[in-house]
């Protein structure tokens, strides 16, 4: 395949180990023969099976544990972007299994959106990617999203164009139609109107974070993310504006609410924005916390931030 065709992003929906290896081992070997930078970002059982099949050819392949690599969609995009630039002009070839069990409904939606964002983030690269989905374990909605977020499908008869594919912006808009769950308890609220109110906002956030026994490092990142979103609301939103904060299981949750009317394109805050667009705050916030959900309509705009109170490791 020539180097000027742009990103090749294909989904492999497989039903067993033999089918997985039959499709992926030749893909990895072709990358090695072409002197590509070859990555396998897969769960440990898949990694072991691939190493066995590759034998002595496994040496140049960079193996990563998918459980550690796929913890945060936006940071994962940034990590892949670092790889693409660090190995240039070599081509990047990735075998990935991004979907992991145990994720909530909202987390699953955001990882599906991640697959859509890949198409926009790396469209101008010549990277080649196979994303594997085990049909024995993945839920029907996950498999449906895989078909909608990959321009190409890989099967027994090779690669073919996917007629179910949606453009990233349209898929992202669909993701944002999922209602956000209501707080289990009434949240604490703080109105704000001006950038001068940021000092009160910070004290409010810090007070609640400490009451919930939030780790100091996570609190600093959470406060910075809230600052960014509140600043965006003051500059680009419409009053009245309000900050709402509550604890939820092992998370602290914050909503920034205003009555500004706009239509997000489904990718806002998932790609590094151009300076001055007004979306720098959302990109920064997504990098700092575990999840940011945006809902906008005639009733105004809600930006909800969630971050874990007790992360498994600093800088997770």
């Amino acid at each position: 395949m020539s180097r000027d065709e742009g990103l090749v992003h294909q989904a492999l929906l497989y039903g067993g180990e033999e089918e997985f290896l039959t499709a992926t081992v030749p893909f990895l070997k072709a990358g090695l023969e072409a002197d590509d930078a070859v990555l396998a970002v897969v769960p440990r059982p898949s990694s072991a099976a691939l190493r066995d099949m590759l034998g002595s050819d496994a040496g140049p392949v960079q193996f990563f544990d998918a459980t550690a690599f796929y913890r945060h969609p936006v940071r994962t995009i940034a990590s892949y972007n670092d790889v693409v630039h660090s190995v240039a002009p070599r081509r990047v070839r990735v075998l990935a299994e991004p979907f992991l069990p145990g994720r909530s409904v909202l987390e699953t939606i955001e990882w599906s959106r991640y697959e859509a964002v890949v198409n926009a983030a790396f469209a101008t690269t010549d990277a080649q990617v196979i994303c594997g989905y085990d049909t024995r374990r993945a839920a029907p909605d996950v498999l449906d999203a895989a078909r909608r977020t990959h321009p190409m499908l890989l099967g027994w008869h090779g690669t073919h164009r996917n007629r179910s594919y949606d453009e990233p912006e349209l898929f992202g808009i669909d993701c944002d139609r999922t209602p956000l769950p209501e707080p289990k308890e009434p949240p604490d609220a703080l109105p704000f109107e001006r950038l001068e109110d940021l000092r009160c906002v910070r004290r409010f956030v810090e007070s609640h974070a400490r009451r919930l026994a939030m780790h100091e490092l996570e609190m600093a990142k959470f406060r910075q993310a809230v600052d960014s979103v509140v600043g965006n609301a003051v500059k680009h939103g419409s009053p009245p504006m309000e900050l709402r904060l509550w604890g939820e299981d092992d998370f602290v949750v914050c909503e920034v609410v205003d009555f500004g009317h706009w239509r997000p394109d489904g990718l806002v805050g998932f790609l590094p924005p151009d300076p001055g667009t007004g979306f720098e705050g959302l990109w920064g916030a997504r990098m700092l916390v575990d999840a940011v959900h945006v809902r906008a309509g005639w009733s105004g705009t809600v930006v909800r931030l969630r971050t874990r109170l007790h992360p498994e490791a600093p800088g997770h």
Side-chain angles (χ1 to χ4, degrees):
M1 184 171 290
S2 66
R3 295 285 180 111
D4 58 356
E5 294 187 12
L7 173 69
V8 177
H9 189 205
Q10 49 197 325
L12 169 66
L13 278 58
Y14 67 93
E17 184 178 275
E18 180 183 358
E19 187 176 352
F20 173 78
L21 295 173
T22 298
T24 59
V25 171
F27 173 78
L28 297 178
K29 286 186 174 181
L32 296 174
E33 292 172 1
D35 192 34
D36 295 342
V38 181
L39 285 68
V41 190
V42 295
R44 289 178 181 175
S46 296
S47 177
L50 288 167
R51 289 179 186 273
D52 287 344
M53 291 294 294
L54 289 168
S56 60
D57 291 334
V61 178
Q62 300 179 63
F63 286 90
F64 296 90
D65 180 13
T67 303
F69 201 89
Y70 291 113
R71 287 187 175 181
H72 188 289
V74 180
R75 293 177 198 158
T76 299
I77 290 285
S79 294
Y80 275 129
N81 189 61
D82 290 343
V83 171
V84 168
H85 285 89
S86 66
V87 304
R90 294 173 68 202
R91 176 171 58 191
V92 173
R93 182 178 295 241
V94 181
L95 169 61
E97 291 190 84
F99 268 85
L100 304 172
R103 287 176 174 152
S104 68
V105 171
L106 287 178
E107 287 173 329
T108 298
I109 290 171
E110 290 307 294
W111 279 105
S112 293
R113 189 204 301 262
Y114 156 85
E115 289 278 49
V117 173
V118 164
N119 297 303
F122 302 105
T124 59
T125 71
D126 56 5
Q128 295 201 18
V129 183
I130 290 178
C131 296
Y133 290 81
D134 189 339
T135 59
R136 301 166 299 175
R137 297 182 177 90
D141 58 331
V142 170
L143 298 176
D144 177 65
R147 295 183 182 95
R148 294 178 59 197
T149 55
H150 292 79
M152 310 294 289
L153 294 177
L154 177 61
W156 286 105
H157 303 293
T159 301
H160 62 275
R161 293 202 173 276
N162 177 16
R163 294 182 179 180
S164 300
Y165 174 68
D166 288 340
E167 291 298 326
E169 294 86 351
L170 295 177
F171 185 84
I173 289 171
D174 270 359
C175 291
D176 290 334
R177 291 194 174 106
T178 304
L180 296 174
E182 292 295 323
K184 296 177 182 178
E185 301 289 340
D188 293 322
L190 177 72
F192 63 92
E193 294 182 358
R194 305 166 300 170
L195 289 176
E196 289 79 1
D197 294 332
L198 274 175
R199 184 174 298 175
C200 293
V201 167
R202 290 169 188 147
R203 286 200 297 264
F204 181 81
V205 171
E206 288 178 358
S207 173
H208 283 72
R210 288 199 171 94
R211 179 172 58 82
L212 294 167
M214 192 177 196
H215 188 282
E216 286 290 329
L217 175 60
E218 297 307 308
M219 183 176 68
K221 294 192 292 185
F222 187 64
R223 184 187 62 223
Q224 185 178 346
V226 174
D227 272 6
S228 297
V229 176
V230 168
N232 257 15
V234 171
K235 293 177 183 177
H236 306 286
S238 299
M241 303 173 187
E242 188 174 70
L243 186 75
R244 302 169 183 165
L245 198 148
W246 67 95
E248 187 175 281
D249 300 324
D250 197 32
F251 289 84
V252 60
V253 185
C254 180
E255 278 189 349
V256 179
V257 182
D258 75 83
F259 279 80
H261 300 157
W262 62 300
R263 291 183 177 272
D265 66 5
L267 294 179
V268 170
F270 286 92
L271 300 173
D274 295 327
T277 60
F279 299 136
E280 299 96 324
L282 276 177
W283 163 256
R286 290 194 193 278
M287 291 290 286
L288 289 165
V289 301
D290 287 319
V292 177
H293 305 288
V294 180
R295 299 294 184 268
W298 291 111
S299 60
T301 299
V302 175
V303 180
R304 180 178 291 187
L305 302 90
R306 285 170 53 88
T307 204
R308 194 175 296 276
L309 287 167
H310 308 291
E312 296 176 9
H316 67 292

